[in-house]
Amino acid sequence: MALTVPVLSKVPNLLKELVKAVPNVNFHYVDDPEKDSSFKKSEIIIADFDLLCNYLYELPNTKWVQGTWAGIDKLIPQIESSKPIPFQMTRFTGEHFGKLMGEYVVANIVNHERNFFELKNHQQKQQWHREGKVTDYRAISDLTVGVLGLGHIGNRVGKLLHFLGAEVLAFGRRLTLPTEGDYCHISKYYTKETLPLMLTECDYIVSVLPQTHETNGLLEKDILKNCADKQSVLINIGRSNIISEDSLIRAINNKWLSAVILDVFDVEPLPESSALWKMDRVFITPHVSGMTRAKDVAEQFCSNLNLYKKNLPLPAVIDFTKGY
């Protein structure tokens, strides 16, 4: 009898891609979990975390949930500390998000270094402009980039930057660089105690950190003063809890940072009242650095399903005590 897997998700075309990737499984969309008789009886579920969070303790037969998100912010408030989730949940992360977010980082570094946005303004004025950073720019191979976060995504971003010639520094929660895994692209490794030193060396700081107790306020107070000499650029594609909007604006106004590229915010959509909208040295994107694509979710589910059937460990299993 073929395996039946309910899909509780708003990701466009997900069912189509799942059928294509795993044709021997019966997938079906769940419009209303309360009315779908198979949903709460299923061994395996694929779900968006925001749609699943109200049912975490109502799935007695479930053994594995494959999520379509990397972040677990929506799940955390629903977790009861005295009552652990009785099944394993895997985040959608790794190579897929890493590639997309790596492209975002590279594109924004190149745009910023070569000032391509200024060229567009001159094009609209029908002006042939070859002054300033348009011709006198730094290549990625001239840069030192610090990556905050050494998980699947951060490691992939670091590898891409290293391939393009950048010196890659890394910040992580472990006391030393992990011996397992491929980290040969990292030239120096830093922890919370040595983070100020790392910031003094970075032309760009790329944060891919998740929202956890350990990352709350990581760049608060005066720590960004260490970026002043290098006039670093901060790119945040992780979570906004590392620095408040007020502290970010202060760092820009004090010229500790030369520019900020933001894809994540405390409140999304970013309110029109936010001062960030009108700041010349701030570039804002609407949380799109790594979008969940149906094709990628289907590929990851197929890979994970093969491991699951063999009783092998699944990658990116959520540890709620760590927050990711």
Side-chain angles (χ1 to χ4, degrees), residues 215-235:
T215 62
N216 282 336
L218 185 71
L219 299 183
E220 283 290 326
K221 299 181 180 178
D222 293 343
I223 193 171
L224 290 176
K225 276 185 176 179
N226 295 285
C227 300
D229 288 344
K230 276 273 195 171
Q231 283 292 284
S232 312
V233 177
L234 173 64
I235 301 177

Side-chain angles (χ1 to χ4, degrees), residues 138 144-148 169 194-207 218-235 242-243 247-248 250-260 281:
R138 295 181 297 183
T144 298
V145 183
V147 178
L148 306 182
L169 315 182
T194 56
L195 178 59
L197 176 60
M198 173 183 174
L199 296 177
T200 65
E201 301 185 44
C202 295
D203 297 300
Y204 281 79
I205 305 147
V206 180
S207 177
L218 185 71
L219 299 183
E220 283 290 326
K221 299 181 180 178
D222 293 343
I223 193 171
L224 290 176
K225 276 185 176 179
N226 295 285
C227 300
D229 288 344
K230 276 273 195 171
Q231 283 292 284
S232 312
V233 177
L234 173 64
I235 301 177
I242 62 170
I243 184 171
S247 294
L248 194 58
R250 179 167 167 256
I252 296 168
N253 288 338
N254 286 341
K255 297 183 179 179
W256 299 342
L257 299 171
S258 63
V260 176
R281 289 182 287 158

Side-chain angles (χ1 to χ4, degrees), residues 5-57:
V5 176
V7 180
L8 182 62
S9 176
K10 293 182 180 179
V11 176
N13 301 314
L14 181 53
L15 197 66
K16 175 184 175 182
E17 293 296 336
L18 285 167
V19 171
K20 189 187 301 183
V22 197
N24 59 333
V25 171
N26 292 326
F27 298 99
H28 72 277
Y29 273 129
V30 176
D31 295 319
D32 185 349
E34 297 293 346
K35 297 179 180 179
D36 190 301
S37 60
S38 68
F39 176 70
K40 295 183 180 181
K41 298 178 183 178
S42 298
E43 177 183 346
I44 300 172
I45 296 172
I46 298 172
D48 300 349
F49 289 148
D50 62 332
L51 300 180
L52 181 74
C53 60
N54 291 330
Y55 303 98
L56 294 176
Y57 296 101

Side-chain angles (χ1 to χ4, degrees), residues 56-217:
L56 294 176
Y57 296 101
E58 300 178 18
L59 304 169
N61 298 316
T62 301
K63 296 181 180 178
W64 167 41
V65 171
Q66 171 65 61
T68 61
W69 293 11
I72 64 170
D73 310 47
K74 297 292 184 181
L75 295 175
I76 293 293
Q78 307 301 324
I79 302 301
E80 301 177 22
S81 58
S82 61
K83 191 177 179 182
I85 300 298
F87 49 83
Q88 61 182 342
M89 303 178 67
T90 51
R91 298 181 299 123
F92 173 62
T93 185
E95 291 294 300
H96 296 102
F97 265 153
K99 287 188 290 186
L100 296 176
M101 296 172 89
E103 289 177 5
Y104 176 96
V105 169
V106 169
N108 276 285
I109 290 177
V110 172
N111 279 339
H112 183 75
E113 289 300 319
R114 300 192 181 202
N115 213 351
F116 283 158
F117 292 120
E118 182 181 348
L119 286 182
K120 184 63 175 179
N121 292 333
H122 284 285
Q123 177 185 337
Q124 293 172 344
K125 299 174 185 177
Q126 298 174 298
Q127 295 175 340
W128 185 266
H129 180 80
R130 288 172 53 86
E131 300 175 5
K133 288 173 64 176
V134 171
T135 53
D136 185 16
Y137 53 80
R138 295 181 297 183
I140 289 180
S141 58
D142 298 324
L143 304 174
T144 298
V145 183
V147 178
L148 306 182
L150 204 55
H152 295 294
I153 296 172
N155 205 37
R156 178 75 189 207
V157 172
K159 285 181 180 179
L160 179 57
L161 292 167
H162 174 75
F163 175 77
L164 294 172
E167 180 182 7
V168 178
L169 315 182
F171 165 88
R173 61 182 177 83
R174 303 189 192 186
L175 295 178
T176 58
L177 188 66
T179 55
E180 72 278 8
D182 179 13
Y183 300 107
C184 60
H185 56 286
I186 296 171
S187 65
K188 298 177 186 177
Y189 179 74
Y190 299 84
T191 62
K192 196 167 186 176
E193 289 70 29
T194 56
L195 178 59
L197 176 60
M198 173 183 174
L199 296 177
T200 65
E201 301 185 44
C202 295
D203 297 300
Y204 281 79
I205 305 147
V206 180
S207 177
V208 293
L209 290 167
Q211 182 169 334
T212 70
H213 294 301
E214 291 179 323
T215 62
N216 282 336

Side-chain angles (χ1 to χ4, degrees), residues 305-324:
L305 181 61
N306 290 331
L307 295 174
Y308 177 83
K309 288 180 176 179
K310 297 175 183 177
N311 292 316
L312 295 173
L314 300 179
V317 173
I318 296 172
D319 183 339
F320 286 102
T321 62
K322 295 179 179 178
Y324 55 90

